[in-house]
Amino acid sequence: MRVIIEKNYDDMSLWAASYIRDKINNAKKGGPFVLGLPTGSSPIGTYRCLIEMYRRGTLSFKNVVTFNMDEYVGLSESHKESYHTFMRENFFDHVDILKENIHMLDGECRDPELECRDYEEKIKSYGGIDLFLGGIGADGHIAFNEPYSSLSSRTRVKDLTMDTKIMNSRFFDGDISKVPSRALTVGVGTIMDSREVMILANGHSKARALRHAIEDSISQKWPASALQEHKRAIFVVDESAAGELSLDTVRYFL
Ligand code: GLP
């Protein structure tokens, strides 16, 4: 595991975007580069940097295939808080990615089990995910794999915890009753199968989750801790998020 500790959110975002740019630019010619993507406030800065790189001509997404992590059950693609809308507004509409290369779970699908199975198959058909970018919840969740999710879980429907609903109610007029109760999400196992995983964490509210993910035992209570078993996991964090790591951990990774 690597832990990159940057001064602030902007530096964290630039580090992550530069890493992704280099991976895409150095990808083997021929096959596409398969990128897993998250929503949330953590990756917005990284998306901004990637868009800027595209505008400057140092990066193209023509050879990139994407798979998003998750989507709320019951929200239409055009709902203002759907992850489809988030991705269009914050990323896809601003770069040269081909529409047919974008994959997202359909929150309005008739048969969620089939949708999830097909998603796993689709990922396989591209030879797996090269790099999965993600955020982390204050309770250590990754994608919508809430605490106590199986660490070998695959894409499926998950009930959201009250903590997550409260956190995400900020996007739904502060009204918990408007936050969907379920989501379609890739599993911890799906993320673990990626060749590389990069998790972004910024701000004091993520410090506790980061400590459990990096320093404590692997536990389903803190799903991000599963990444300790991954061969190529990188946490890219700011100083506030690193605030609960012990001094020897910080020294080691610096
Ligand atoms: C949501 C998403 C996660 C995200 C998490 C943290 O629950 N499903 O993918 O990592 O929130 O979001 P934020 O980056 O806004 O703190």
Side-chain angles (χ1 to χ4, degrees):
M1 173 184 285
R2 295 174 70 189
V3 180
I4 308 294
I5 304 170
E6 292 290 317
K7 193 141 204 64
N8 52 39
Y9 181 75
D10 288 346
D11 291 353
M12 174 196 85
S13 303
L14 182 60
W15 197 99
S18 306
Y19 189 89
I20 295 167
R21 176 201 57 207
D22 292 349
K23 286 281 159 180
I24 293 173
N25 285 342
N26 294 330
K28 275 190 257 90
K29 297 278 172 276
F33 187 80
V34 186
L35 186 60
L37 294 175
T39 55
S41 51
S42 312
I44 286 180
T46 304
Y47 288 144
R48 274 195 210 122
C49 294
L50 290 171
I51 292 166
E52 190 50 37
M53 290 165 181
Y54 161 69
R55 286 187 181 147
R56 284 198 196 142
T58 56
L59 178 60
S60 165
F61 293 87
K62 284 231 166 83
N63 199 33
V64 175
V65 167
T66 62
F67 284 90
N68 261 82
M69 289 187 141
D70 44 17
E71 179 57 284
Y72 290 112
V73 168
L75 294 196
S76 67
E77 286 187 12
S78 58
H79 188 286
K80 72 178 183 37
E81 292 307 336
S82 76
Y83 285 170
H84 280 76
T85 300
F86 176 99
M87 289 306 299
R88 276 195 305 271
E89 289 181 349
N90 290 290
F91 189 49
F92 295 144
D93 282 357
H94 310 284
V95 295
D96 62 345
I97 189 158
L98 305 176
K99 217 166 170 243
E100 61 269 30
N101 285 350
I102 296 171
H103 301 93
M104 294 193 72
L105 288 153
D106 176 7
E108 282 195 311
C109 61
R110 290 240 174 112
D111 184 343
E113 268 185 34
L114 181 65
E115 174 74 5
C116 294
R117 247 194 342 262
D118 282 354
Y119 208 61
E120 290 276 342
E121 286 305 316
K122 190 75 65 56
I123 292 173
K124 261 195 220 147
S125 75
Y126 282 100
I129 291 176
D130 290 306
L131 171 63
F132 221 132
L133 176 67
I136 183 171
D139 57 3
H141 76 250
I142 43 175
F144 268 128
N145 295 287
E146 300 282 31
Y148 308 106
S149 288
S150 156
L151 300 185
S152 58
S153 49
R154 313 302 311 183
T155 305
R156 69 211 182 293
V157 178
K158 277 297 284 181
D159 289 331
L160 304 188
T161 62
M162 188 48 83
D163 278 352
T164 296
K165 289 184 74 176
I166 291 170
M167 286 298 278
N168 291 3
S169 64
R170 66 190 194 276
F171 303 114
F172 293 84
D173 311 320
D175 182 350
I176 300 170
S177 69
K178 289 188 186 163
V179 185
S181 297
R182 298 190 311 153
L184 300 165
T185 179
V186 296
V188 180
T190 319
I191 297 170
M192 291 293 285
D193 280 352
S194 311
R195 280 181 272 286
E196 277 191 84
V197 182
M198 183 195 284
I199 299 293
L200 305 172
N202 65 282
H204 179 74
S205 66
K206 303 295 172 69
R208 187 162 170 246
L210 203 66
R211 170 164 60 81
H212 283 285
I214 294 172
E215 289 185 339
D216 287 349
S217 320
I218 296 173
S219 159
Q220 59 184 356
K221 188 172 187 334
W222 299 91
S225 65
L227 292 168
Q228 291 176 28
E229 290 239 330
H230 197 284
K231 285 203 179 86
R232 292 180 76 84
I234 312 180
F235 283 84
V236 189
V237 311
D238 71 357
E239 284 182 357
S240 307
E244 284 199 28
L245 297 179
S246 62
L247 197 54
D248 53 337
T249 303
V250 172
R251 274 201 193 120
Y252 174 83
F253 285 111
L254 283 178

